[in-house]
Amino acid sequence: MATPAKIKLLFPLKVEANVSGIGKKVNGTKVNGTKVEMGGKKNKSSLEEEEETTTTATAAGEQPKSSFSSTMPAGLKAYAQSPALQAVLAALANVVLAAEKQRKLEEIAGKTEVPVDALRQGRLVEGKLVYRQTFVIRSYEVGADKTASVETLMNHFQETALNHVWMVGLAGDGFGATHAMIRHNLIWVVSRMQVQVEQYPAWGDVVEMDTWVTGSGKNGMRRDWLVRDYKTGQVLARATSTWVMMNQKTRRLSKMPNEVREEISPHFLERSAIKEHNLVTQKIKKLDDSAQLVRSGLTPKRSDLDMNQHVNNVKYIGWMMESIPSAIQEGHELETLILEYRRECSQSDVVQSMTTLQEISNASRIGPLQFTHLLRLQVDGAEIVRGSTHWRLKKPFHHN
């Protein structure tokens, strides 16, 4: 039987909804599954006495009396006994009753979502293997076209990944590192990232983001994301990423210890957000000094560093965009992004952004475009990240 749900008002008036309560009365008026009590708490005998009084008065055609009528001010008593207020209370109680019934049905069916942290708007679903979080697109997350940027999506990908690790109880004191990883001085580093955007959310839109993990080879982990419009359920974007372990002290890649594998494998879910295998495994060729578009002298700020003290991987996207002409960006929007991370970048590094147009539909540059990118250290040419981007013509802006 469901636990009674109570709605409290500013005066001693209490509405109680009970799943099994049928045929109760509100000042002589029958309300399905709802019981209205006035005057605060009463012992059993006084409640029975009041119910008998109410039944007798109703049968005689009289207005039933309330036990607190002698102590409540006349104006407040009249307001509390007004038919309009009683109707509102009955409606509220029925809403509570319906919600409680639905919750019980979902619980019985095994479909109840597990709330973990209401402040983060996140919860675990699908057998606690998927972390789901909702976001509102803020004004500072959109560009001149009033839609979110790919950097906005990437930041939310990172946030949900960290929240997922924390909410399943694996997070230690590192940047997404588990307890076992901390004991081995290991951290996660992303080696590959791929994003497909079907439609960019606009300012004020509410998006729902799912994320889950599975294994990738002997020493890696794959994390996927699926982004939907919260109101319509329309898929807005998909993403997948591959992560490997690095020793925090030596800054060298490391094999996954069995202790770590045993810790994370119970949370694996065999599912892919991006189905096209050829895109997931596509390799990006290296650019050389003959790149068509070059932007030099890019330097990270302290605010670009993450908790592992290297440049946040989202920053690399902005640096890649620096070498694409603004005329192209004004008429096109990013559809697919693939990144292959090669090495870390620190605050003291100076970066060079290189871009070459790989494919074009016609000479007027009004169709889909594909670019190959390279970020490298300006001093010695060491690769930081390779990238590939596909662009489509911008869709007309329509806010939901």
Side-chain angles (χ1 to χ4, degrees):
M1 183 174 67
T3 304
K6 300 178 180 179
I7 303 173
K8 296 183 178 179
L9 301 180
L10 297 178
F11 53 88
L13 182 63
K14 180 174 65 178
V15 178
E16 184 174 286
N18 193 305
V19 173
S20 62
I22 298 176
K24 302 298 182 183
K25 296 179 181 295
V26 178
N27 281 358
T29 302
K30 185 176 181 181
V31 179
N32 289 335
T34 306
K35 180 174 63 179
V36 178
E37 298 175 6
M38 297 185 180
K41 295 183 178 179
K42 294 182 175 63
N43 57 37
K44 182 177 180 181
S45 60
S46 64
L47 285 172
E48 291 174 347
E49 181 180 345
E50 181 176 323
E51 184 174 321
E52 292 174 0
T53 303
T54 301
T55 303
T56 304
T58 303
E62 300 175 2
Q63 178 66 28
K65 296 180 180 180
S66 171
S67 61
F68 70 107
S69 59
S70 60
T71 59
M72 178 175 284
L76 189 56
K77 180 178 69 174
Y79 173 71
Q81 294 178 338
S82 68
L85 177 61
Q86 299 302 331
V88 170
L89 292 176
L92 287 174
N94 281 329
V95 169
V96 173
L97 178 65
E100 181 66 12
K101 284 184 176 179
Q102 181 64 28
R103 185 191 69 79
K104 291 296 291 183
L105 289 174
E106 291 182 353
E107 186 177 274
I108 293 171
K111 297 180 180 179
T112 303
E113 297 177 348
V114 183
V116 185
D117 188 346
L119 294 178
R120 283 183 171 85
Q121 299 294 309
R123 57 198 182 277
L124 296 172
V125 298
E126 299 191 40
K128 301 185 181 181
L129 295 178
V130 175
Y131 174 69
R132 179 171 295 165
Q133 186 169 352
T134 56
F135 297 94
V136 178
I137 302 301
R138 309 296 184 182
S139 59
Y140 52 81
E141 295 178 318
V142 303
D145 58 0
K146 301 180 183 179
T147 61
S149 63
V150 68
E151 290 96 329
T152 294
L153 296 178
M154 290 281 285
N155 281 322
H156 286 312
F157 292 157
Q158 185 169 276
E159 178 70 10
T160 52
L162 294 173
N163 288 343
H164 184 200
V165 174
W166 183 81
M167 289 189 179
V168 296
L170 291 180
D173 58 358
F175 194 48
T178 68
H179 301 286
M181 289 174 64
I182 292 172
R183 290 192 289 271
H184 289 270
N185 294 313
L186 297 174
I187 59 175
W188 288 114
V189 291
V190 59
S191 62
R192 183 179 173 90
M193 185 82 188
Q194 180 175 341
V195 183
Q196 289 182 343
V197 182
E198 297 182 22
Q199 180 177 318
Y200 286 91
W203 173 37
D205 285 350
V206 182
V207 299
E208 184 176 73
M209 189 173 292
D210 286 1
T211 185
W212 61 92
V213 294
T214 190
S216 178
K218 293 182 179 180
N219 298 302
M221 182 182 74
R222 196 188 80 224
R223 177 175 287 278
D224 286 18
W225 294 266
L226 186 66
V227 186
R228 292 182 295 266
D229 183 284
Y230 182 77
K231 291 194 301 183
T232 66
Q234 176 189 354
V235 174
L236 302 178
R238 306 170 187 270
T240 186
S241 60
T242 304
W243 299 74
V244 293
M245 293 185 177
M246 173 184 285
N247 187 291
Q248 193 167 18
K249 293 181 178 180
T250 65
R251 314 309 285 185
R252 297 177 66 87
L253 296 182
S254 170
K255 292 183 178 180
M256 182 183 295
N258 289 332
E259 183 183 1
V260 175
R261 184 177 290 103
E262 292 172 358
E263 187 179 42
I264 65 176
S265 58
H267 303 278
F268 285 175
L269 175 64
E270 290 295 334
R271 178 185 297 173
S272 298
I274 297 177
K275 305 297 183 181
E276 295 85 348
H277 180 73
N278 60 324
L279 290 178
V280 174
T281 58
Q282 175 184 333
K283 297 297 182 181
I284 304 172
K285 69 176 186 179
K286 179 182 177 180
L287 292 183
D288 54 26
D289 292 334
S290 63
Q292 300 168 350
L293 305 166
V294 179
R295 178 72 182 273
S296 302
L298 301 172
T299 56
K301 299 176 291 186
R302 182 169 181 78
S303 60
D304 296 327
L305 304 181
D306 62 23
M307 287 185 275
N308 288 326
Q309 299 303 309
H310 57 232
V311 174
N312 191 302
N313 63 81
V314 178
K315 182 65 181 179
Y316 298 145
I317 301 173
W319 282 343
M320 285 182 177
M321 301 303 114
E322 289 288 339
S323 57
I324 296 181
S326 44
I328 292 178
Q329 297 191 50
E330 288 174 2
H332 294 74
E333 62 183 8
L334 188 61
E335 180 178 17
T336 302
L337 168 70
I338 303 175
L339 300 173
E340 292 179 358
Y341 298 91
R342 299 288 173 160
R343 57 161 292 158
E344 294 179 282
C345 180
S346 65
Q347 188 179 1
S348 60
D349 292 329
V350 180
V351 178
Q352 190 174 52
S353 175
M354 307 169 66
T355 297
T356 291
L357 180 63
Q358 293 296 333
E359 186 176 313
I360 192 166
S361 61
N362 55 53
S364 60
R365 298 191 178 187
I366 61 173
L369 305 174
Q370 179 180 344
F371 292 95
T372 300
H373 308 266
L374 175 65
L375 294 180
R376 68 182 188 180
L377 296 181
Q378 191 165 313
V379 63
D380 60 5
E383 291 183 275
I384 301 172
V385 59
R386 295 182 187 182
S388 175
T389 58
H390 294 248
W391 299 71
R392 64 182 172 226
L393 290 174
K394 273 190 178 179
K395 300 177 181 178
F397 174 74
H398 295 293
H399 191 271
N400 293 333

